[in-house]
């Protein structure tokens, strides 16, 4: 095997930087196919609440005996997700991003097969949902890490949004199919999707950074050449990888930052990532997506709840699709601000709607308002707050520290999601005005936080982002 030193010596004649435009099609293809596992995750998230009766799961699925059972069937996957996310970064670092993603198809398939085979056994359905959740949580860690490793700076945002886009596609599929199919057939189709993912993704390259870290320099070079079309950027990539060979418990090393600056940059990155995850989850979007049918049922909307669920699913998929075209042109920060502002406005309108509904002051002609508000909410949520927090951690912290950070922050996000899921179904019945008001107030603070503290990371290298986070410690003179 070629040693690192001999390989670097072989490449010394090549320029470290090239003015040639980097091809991105193959990088985007690899990121997109990796995100197909997110489609299977979306089938776990959507379609599990009843259009007409709060005590059922799926219009043609089965009857739950209690609201508590219904709540657990809907939310059990979140517990699996937060547990699956915790070790995911380290495991993917050990076995490889690609191999780990392929392995995640196993618990997802087994989970759906359990549901298919035991459609009348609630506790086995809970086990199946939990297994699917394990895979889902790990996917939300592993896909952003793989994308960060294979996508150049110029298209990193598009690759990151694929995770959210395919999640929305899976949710929409669940909305539609759960209203047409019985639980057994629905589960069977969902069990097939991970196998389709494996068939399509196994030809994609392993993360070049992972290969380099394992001393497989020729394999890393081959992966980079496949992703970028030629070998003009291999030397620059290897030079960058060499800088990242630090211990996982050490702060990233950067010659342009003093130790105090490195520490400040890392701390800021973690705080920013946690804050964005908090704003994302405590906007109530997850509960709205999960309980769309129930929300429209209790709101008195004139639109059939199942129809409304499908309509909102289409809107959120459209919103996420638009983000793919804007994220690398407009930037993360502007999309976050626009998304957050409209989310605040929609939550405020929902608060007022339920206030007047409880007072009996709503005309029948206004009962279509919830579907309009929710469609606007979910479209703009998917414009920024939905997709960006999933992958911005890898940009803010960088490849050398993202394995653990992405796992911990995503697990924290799923903890918040579980709290929202478990409380929403009760609070929206008993205290709807207070619930929407709390979401509104939190989202206002979220908007202000983004406005004053979140930096732009679009088309910036890891070094540039760190310098922007710790600019007061930038060495201006030798």
């Amino acid at each position: 095997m070629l040693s690192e030193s001999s390989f670097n010596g072989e490449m010394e004649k090549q320029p470290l930087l090239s003015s040639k435009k980097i091809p991105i099609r193959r990088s985007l293809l690899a990121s997109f196919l990796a995100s197909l596992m997110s489609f299977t995750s979306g089938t776990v998230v959507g379609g599990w609440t009843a259009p007409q009766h709060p005590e059922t799961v799926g219009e043609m699925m089965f009857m739950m005996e209690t609201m508590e059972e219904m709540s657990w069937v809907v939310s059990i996957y979140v517990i699996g997700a937060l547990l699956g996310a915790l070790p995911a970064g380290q495991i993917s670092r050990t076995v490889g991003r690609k191999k780990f993603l392929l392995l995640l198809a196993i618990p997802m398939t087994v989970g759906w097969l359990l549901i298919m085979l035991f459609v009348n056994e609630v506790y086995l359905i809970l086990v199946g949902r939990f297994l699917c959740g394990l895979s889902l949580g790990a996917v939300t860690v592993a896909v952003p890490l793989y994308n960060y490793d294979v996508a150049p700076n110029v298209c990193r945002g598009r690759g990151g949004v694929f995770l959210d886009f395919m999640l929305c596609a899976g949710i929409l599929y669940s909305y539609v199919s759960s209203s047409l199919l019985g639980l057994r057939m629905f589960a069977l189709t969902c069990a097939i999707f991970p196998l389709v993912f494996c068939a399509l993704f196994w030809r994609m390259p392993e993360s070049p950074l992972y290969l380099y870290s394992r001393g497989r320099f020729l394999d890393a070079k081959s992966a980079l050449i496949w992703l970028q079309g030629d070998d003009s950027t291999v030397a620059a990539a290897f030079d960058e990888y060499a800088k990242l060979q630090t211990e996982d418990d050490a702060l990233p090393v950067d010659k342009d930052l003093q130790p105090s600056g490195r520490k400040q940059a890392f701390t800021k990155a973690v705080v920013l990532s946690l804050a964005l995850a908090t704003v994302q989850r405590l906007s109530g979007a997850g509960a709205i997506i999960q309980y769309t049918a129930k929300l429209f049922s209790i709101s008195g909307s004139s639109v059939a709840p199942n129809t409304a669920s499908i309509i909102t699913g289409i809107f959120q998929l459209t919103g996420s699709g638009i983000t793919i075209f804007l994220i690398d042109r407009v930037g993360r920060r502007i999309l976050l601000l626009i998304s957050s502002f409209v989310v605040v406005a929609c939550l405020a309108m929902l608060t007022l709607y339920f206030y007047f509904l409880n007072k009996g002051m709503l005309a029948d002609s206004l009962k279509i308002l919830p579907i309009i508000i929710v469609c606007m909410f979910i479209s703009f949520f998917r414009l920024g707050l939905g997709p960006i927090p999933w992958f911005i951690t890898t940009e803010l912290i960088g490849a050398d520290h993202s394995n653990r950070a992405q796992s911990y922050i995503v697990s924290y996000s799923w903890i918040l999601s579980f709290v929202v899921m478990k409380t929403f179904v009760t609070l929206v019945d008993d205290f709807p005005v207070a619930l929407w008001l709390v979401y509104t107030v939190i989202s206002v603070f979220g908007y202000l936080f983004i406005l004053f503290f979140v930096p732009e990371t679009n088309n910036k290298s890891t070094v540039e982002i760190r310098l922007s986070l710790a600019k007061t410690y930038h060495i201006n003179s030798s």
Side-chain angles (χ1 to χ4, degrees):
M1 178 177 288
L2 204 60
S3 69
E4 177 183 355
S5 59
S6 64
F7 193 85
N8 284 339
E10 179 184 312
M11 295 191 305
E12 281 178 355
K13 297 178 181 179
Q14 300 181 25
L16 290 181
L17 295 175
S18 174
S19 59
K20 183 179 178 180
K21 186 177 180 181
I22 299 175
I24 62 174
R25 289 184 180 180
R26 289 184 176 182
S27 296
L28 288 176
L29 175 63
S31 294
F32 179 79
L33 292 180
S35 299
L36 290 181
M37 266 304 286
S38 185
F39 179 92
T40 70
S41 300
T43 63
V44 182
V45 176
W48 280 84
T49 50
Q52 300 297 336
H53 306 288
E55 68 274 13
T56 64
V57 177
E59 180 69 11
M60 298 178 65
M61 293 193 180
F62 58 93
M63 184 72 70
M64 301 269 67
E65 293 183 3
T66 66
M67 287 287 289
E68 184 66 15
E69 276 191 2
M70 191 268 299
S71 174
W72 275 107
V73 167
V74 170
S75 60
I76 188 69
Y77 81 90
V78 183
I79 298 178
L82 69 91
L83 294 177
L86 272 174
Q90 194 61 28
I91 295 175
S92 72
R93 180 177 184 267
T94 302
V95 305
R97 313 293 198 209
K98 173 187 172 181
K99 186 183 295 184
F100 183 56
L101 280 168
L102 291 171
L103 288 173
L104 291 177
I106 296 174
M108 183 69 74
T109 302
V110 171
W112 279 116
L113 289 176
L114 271 177
I115 296 170
M116 182 194 75
L117 295 172
F118 301 99
V119 293
N120 297 315
E121 300 293 334
V122 173
Y123 292 107
L124 287 174
I125 289 174
L126 288 172
V127 173
R129 294 270 291 163
F130 177 80
L131 288 174
C132 290
L134 285 175
S135 178
L136 189 162
V139 164
T140 54
V141 174
V143 170
L145 290 173
Y146 180 80
N147 170 66
Y148 187 84
D149 288 355
V150 302
N153 294 341
V154 293
C155 67
R156 204 170 52 211
R158 275 167 282 180
V161 176
F162 285 150
L163 170 74
D164 186 72
F165 178 77
M166 296 309 294
L167 185 72
C168 292
I171 292 172
L172 178 59
Y173 171 80
S174 292
Y175 283 155
V176 174
S177 61
S178 66
S179 65
L180 300 175
L181 306 175
L183 178 57
R184 192 184 302 275
M185 185 57 64
F186 173 63
L188 175 60
T189 60
C190 293
I192 293 173
F193 292 134
L195 305 179
V196 174
F197 159 76
C198 290
L200 294 174
F201 183 63
W202 77 276
R203 295 289 299 273
M204 292 297 102
E206 179 56 88
S207 156
L209 176 57
Y210 166 78
L211 295 171
Y212 182 93
S213 70
R214 291 296 179 266
R216 296 165 57 184
F217 305 116
L218 289 178
D219 290 338
K221 178 182 178 182
S222 297
L224 284 167
I225 291 174
W226 188 91
L227 289 166
Q228 300 178 8
D230 57 42
D231 62 355
S232 63
T233 61
V234 172
F238 271 49
D239 184 59
E240 182 68 23
Y241 295 162
K243 297 177 183 177
L244 301 177
Q245 300 306 296
T246 58
E247 294 297 327
D248 222 19
D249 58 353
L251 285 175
V253 176
D254 194 315
K255 65 180 182 180
D256 294 322
L257 293 178
Q258 297 173 351
S260 52
R262 295 199 301 270
K263 183 176 180 179
Q264 186 196 50
F266 180 75
T267 302
K268 278 187 176 181
V270 172
V271 171
L272 288 169
S273 299
L274 288 171
L276 286 173
T278 302
V279 175
Q280 180 196 55
R281 291 305 193 184
L282 296 188
S283 67
I288 290 175
I289 293 167
Q290 191 70 71
Y291 291 101
T292 303
K294 178 177 176 61
L295 175 63
F296 284 108
S297 179
I298 66 175
S299 70
S301 171
S302 56
V303 180
N306 188 47
T307 302
S309 296
I310 295 172
I311 292 172
T312 55
I314 293 171
F315 269 85
Q316 72 171 338
L317 182 64
T318 303
S320 187
I322 291 172
T323 308
I324 293 173
F325 295 98
L326 295 178
I327 189 74
D328 288 317
R329 293 177 173 86
V330 177
R332 287 63 155 151
R333 176 178 161 80
I334 292 177
L335 290 180
L336 281 170
L337 285 170
I338 295 172
S339 173
S340 181
F341 181 83
V342 177
V343 161
V344 168
C346 291
L347 288 171
M349 287 188 284
L350 281 174
T351 304
L352 291 174
Y353 177 88
F354 278 94
Y355 174 80
F356 289 116
L357 180 67
N358 286 353
K359 294 291 185 181
M361 300 168 60
L362 270 181
D364 289 341
S365 60
L366 296 177
K367 290 187 175 180
I368 196 174
L369 279 178
I371 189 170
I372 297 174
I373 297 172
V374 168
C375 285
M376 184 183 300
F377 172 94
I378 211 68
S379 297
F380 280 87
F381 176 80
R382 292 300 180 191
L383 191 69
L385 282 179
I388 294 174
W390 288 121
F391 69 86
I392 200 169
T393 299
T394 59
E395 295 188 318
L396 292 170
I397 294 178
D400 47 3
H401 238 59
S402 286
N403 294 294
R404 291 184 179 181
Q406 182 77 3
S407 289
Y408 296 154
I409 290 165
V410 168
S411 293
Y412 166 76
S413 174
W414 285 114
I415 290 171
L416 292 181
S417 179
F418 179 74
V419 172
V420 170
M421 295 283 191
K422 288 295 291 180
T423 57
F424 182 86
V425 69
T426 300
L427 295 178
V428 78
D429 282 326
D430 299 335
F431 309 102
V433 178
L435 178 65
W436 295 115
L437 183 60
V438 169
Y439 289 157
T440 304
V441 172
I442 292 173
S443 295
V444 168
F445 281 107
Y447 174 80
L448 294 175
F449 181 86
I450 294 168
L451 179 64
F452 292 111
F453 298 109
V454 175
E456 181 57 76
T457 60
N458 184 34
N459 201 16
K460 291 184 179 179
S461 68
T462 301
V463 173
E464 290 172 324
I465 294 170
R466 283 178 185 159
L467 289 175
S468 71
L469 291 173
K471 56 187 177 182
T472 56
Y473 292 89
H474 187 198
I475 298 177
N476 294 313
S477 60
S478 56

